[in-house]
Amino acid sequence: MTNDIIILPLVVHLFFSILLMFFWNKVNFQKIVSVVGNAVALGVAIWVFIFVYNNGTYIVESGNWSAPFGIVFVGDMLAVTLVLLTAIAGFAVSIFSTISVIKARLRFGYFSVFHFLLLGLNGAFLTGDIFNLYVWFEIIIISSFVLISIGGEKNQLEGAVKYFALNFFASMIFLTALGVLYGLVGTLNMADISLKIAEVENRTLVEISAVLFLVGFGIKSAIFPLYFWLPASYHTPPSAVSAIFAGLLTKVGVYALIRVFALIYGGDSFLTILLLTLAILTIFSGGVGAIIQNNIKKVFMYFIICHIGFMIGGLALYTEIAMAGVIFYLIHDIIIKTNLFLMSGLIYRIKTTTNMKKLGGLYANYPKLSLLMAIPLFSLIGIPPLSGYWPKISLFLASFNAEEYWLFGALVFGSLITLIVIAKLWSEVFWKDQPQLDFPKKFIYFNQLRFGQKFTFIFPVAFLTFVTLYIGFGAEHIQQLSQRIATELMNNELYINAVLKQ
């Protein structure tokens, strides 16, 4: 069935990104337009989600060319769920950007590029053509490179070069994998590839193409040993930019792994062993990296890596309960990681630093704000009944049932490391007394802001915290959604039949 409703999230962001170009020098007007645009995008994403939830998978055929010959956009439950999460994160970050990003950076088209980035993310989630996925990835890379380098500071440019170089390398590998796959099956439509890949006699070439995709997507999702670009670059831009990067950019790589490996390479024994090994090493390396850091942002960066390992491990198990755990964890992680980096920006505005050794006394001075921040931190740990607890149960159970005890141990290790590091962070930043240090006098501190400005800082954090609480306390609904997506992923014929109209 075909309905153009599923491409509305793309149309909205394209419209607002172009509209904002006509108001290049009117920064205050751009702020209003961007927030309104993201509010509209959130409303549209909710509408699309409800529509697909009630009616099942829908497709749009570009130029009225039927699949597999034309490019199709596919609105299944996985795609529209990620579109909704993108809209939620984008709305929060757009509001935070209006107060946290300085005008000198906003004058370089920050909001227009921001909408282009969200356009690329939505396109990647909705496309049903694997080459089109590559095109959307390039839009994401170009937009994110501009955002990470706006301002032109030395550390920013250094981080931007590392970010772009590694992601450009990943794109080349992705394109190589596409060439190998196209040579094997003669099609780029993912549903059609899923049917034809089983007929290929040369299984070695099939596994080579899979490894190439794994490397390409692995760099983008920051799995071991391909993650070194992330902690070298994500701490350099403003917190608003880091937040959208942390919440969504690595997750689009995870989405690509889930989509390609579940639809095309699912159940391959060689890939299972490889993914399990990489997942365990990713959890371990991310956890060890987090425990030795003293900067809040860098702690959160290594937790991005560590918790990516949780999702890759669930994908490797490739059982329905494991896939449900992966989807639940993905939903939780996008919201939490976005919020954590917004929190780091708020802490910086209060104290002018994110170095834990120089911080302290936050709870004594801002008790209500500290309790608000405690919710995402404790959700990250997975304290019941908060959002991080429920997907871990599924992943623990799936790894134990599959007798993958090394993965089970890695999941326990990652959870304990998260608990230890967050306990250390809470003690250093919130509990201990503020060290006697000289702070910049020209800096505009949080307590010097007007009420409206303070509200603009706090609202995005509170909004995402509310979403986190819903995920935790409404876990039954999220579990049902995750189970439905997992069922669709494990039964490829549902996706194939919708796209190819069989």
Side-chain angles (χ1 to χ4, degrees):
M1 302 178 70
T2 305
N3 195 305
D4 290 347
I5 185 177
I6 66 167
I7 63 168
L8 285 180
L10 305 178
V11 174
V12 169
H13 284 298
L14 181 61
F15 171 78
F16 279 97
S17 62
I18 295 172
L19 177 63
L20 285 162
M21 291 181 184
F22 290 95
F23 303 96
W24 195 265
N25 295 318
K26 297 180 179 179
V27 173
N28 291 331
F29 185 73
Q30 283 192 50
K31 292 179 181 180
I32 297 170
V33 171
S34 182
V35 172
V36 170
N38 279 286
V40 172
L42 177 57
V44 167
I46 293 170
W47 181 27
V48 171
F49 177 85
I50 294 171
F51 186 82
V52 173
Y53 189 88
N54 291 332
N55 297 283
T57 301
Y58 269 65
I59 68 167
V60 170
E61 297 170 341
S62 301
N64 291 323
W65 282 85
S66 299
F69 305 106
I71 295 172
V72 295
F73 292 94
V74 185
D76 66 345
M77 283 310 305
L78 175 59
V80 297
T81 298
L82 288 169
V83 167
L84 176 57
L85 292 168
T86 300
I88 291 170
F91 177 65
V93 173
S94 68
I95 296 173
F96 197 84
S97 297
T98 62
I99 191 68
S100 65
V101 182
I102 62 175
K103 286 189 176 181
R105 285 174 173 156
L106 296 180
R107 288 194 182 99
F108 285 94
Y110 172 89
F111 286 113
S112 180
V113 177
F114 181 71
H115 281 276
F116 266 115
L117 176 62
L118 298 179
L119 168 68
L121 289 165
N122 285 330
F125 296 140
L126 290 168
T127 186
D129 182 280
I130 199 164
F131 183 79
N132 205 230
L133 178 62
Y134 166 79
V135 173
W136 289 114
F137 268 36
E138 293 307 293
I139 293 174
I140 293 169
I141 290 173
I142 294 167
S143 302
S144 55
F145 178 72
V146 174
L147 289 176
I148 203 172
S149 59
I150 280 180
E153 295 178 4
K154 181 181 176 182
N155 64 334
Q156 274 188 281
L157 295 177
E158 209 172 290
V161 168
K162 294 174 183 176
Y163 171 82
F164 183 78
L166 267 295
N167 277 273
F168 183 71
F169 178 63
S171 294
M172 288 193 295
I173 295 173
F174 182 9
L175 196 58
T176 303
L178 282 175
V180 174
L181 188 62
Y182 185 75
L184 290 172
V185 296
T187 181
L188 293 169
N189 181 278
M190 287 191 278
D192 200 32
I193 293 171
S194 182
L195 288 177
K196 293 182 178 179
I197 196 77
E199 301 172 1
V200 177
E201 295 180 3
N202 192 335
R203 304 313 297 176
T204 302
L205 275 179
V206 171
E207 290 182 350
I208 289 172
S209 70
V211 171
L212 288 171
F213 278 119
L214 178 58
V215 174
F217 296 149
I219 293 174
K220 293 179 185 295
S221 54
I223 65 174
F224 179 91
L226 309 168
Y227 65 83
F228 295 103
W229 61 269
L230 191 150
S233 59
Y234 271 25
H235 69 287
T236 58
S239 294
V241 177
S242 296
I244 204 71
F245 282 19
L248 290 167
L249 260 62
T250 50
K251 306 312 177 300
V252 76
V254 174
Y255 162 79
L257 283 170
I258 293 171
R259 178 68 79 192
V260 169
F261 283 89
L263 189 60
I264 299 173
Y265 300 107
D268 186 279
S269 57
F270 169 74
L271 289 176
T272 297
I273 296 170
L274 184 58
L275 284 169
L276 278 172
T277 304
L278 293 175
I280 292 167
L281 292 172
T282 301
I283 294 170
F284 180 79
S285 56
V288 171
I291 206 168
I292 63 174
Q293 299 300 321
N294 288 316
N295 186 290
I296 295 174
K297 275 192 172 185
K298 290 194 174 183
V299 167
F300 294 157
M301 285 172 203
Y302 276 98
F303 275 143
I304 294 172
I305 298 163
C306 179
H307 299 150
I308 290 292
F310 281 54
M311 291 175 265
I312 301 302
L315 176 61
L317 295 174
Y318 199 62
T319 61
E320 195 160 307
I321 187 172
M323 294 301 287
V326 170
I327 300 304
F328 200 132
Y329 205 97
L330 184 61
I331 294 169
H332 147 81
D333 203 64
I334 288 173
I335 301 300
I336 285 294
K337 293 301 193 304
T338 304
N339 205 4
L340 290 177
F341 278 85
L342 294 184
M343 284 169 43
S344 71
L346 179 54
I347 291 170
Y348 181 82
R349 177 58 58 178
I350 294 171
K351 298 289 187 178
T352 75
T353 182
T354 53
N355 187 325
M356 289 191 285
K357 297 298 182 183
K358 297 179 181 180
L359 289 167
L362 203 60
Y363 183 81
N365 296 320
Y366 298 93
K368 294 179 181 178
L369 201 54
S370 297
L371 291 175
L372 176 67
M373 294 183 190
I375 295 171
L377 291 172
F378 295 163
S379 297
L380 183 71
I381 298 169
I383 294 174
L386 298 175
S387 62
Y389 172 74
W390 305 108
K392 286 182 182 179
I393 295 299
S394 296
L395 294 172
F396 286 154
L397 183 60
S399 58
F400 192 80
N401 288 344
E403 299 182 355
E404 295 292 350
Y405 301 119
W406 281 102
L407 177 61
F408 182 85
L411 294 170
V412 172
F413 172 81
S415 300
L416 287 175
I417 286 290
T418 305
L419 172 62
I420 292 167
V421 174
I422 294 302
K424 172 189 171 185
L425 186 150
W426 183 262
S427 175
E428 291 283 334
V429 177
F430 295 89
W431 280 118
K432 79 175 187 189
D433 294 332
Q434 171 69 56
Q436 296 299 317
L437 299 168
D438 292 328
F439 291 103
K441 294 181 180 179
K442 294 183 179 180
F443 188 83
I444 301 175
Y445 291 86
F446 181 77
N447 59 8
Q448 298 173 327
L449 298 174
R450 300 188 301 272
F451 173 80
Q453 294 173 315
K454 291 180 180 178
F455 179 81
T456 308
F457 263 109
I458 295 171
F459 176 78
V461 175
F463 172 67
L464 293 180
T465 300
F466 173 79
V467 176
T468 297
L469 288 173
Y470 174 76
I471 294 171
F473 288 95
E476 179 184 357
H477 305 296
I478 307 300
Q479 183 62 36
Q480 288 175 352
L481 173 63
S482 302
Q483 192 67 46
R484 175 171 169 178
I485 294 171
T487 301
E488 291 182 0
L489 289 171
M490 298 298 291
N491 295 277
N492 292 339
E493 64 273 8
L494 298 174
Y495 183 96
I496 294 168
N497 291 344
V499 175
L500 301 179
K501 301 176 184 178
Q502 293 184 347

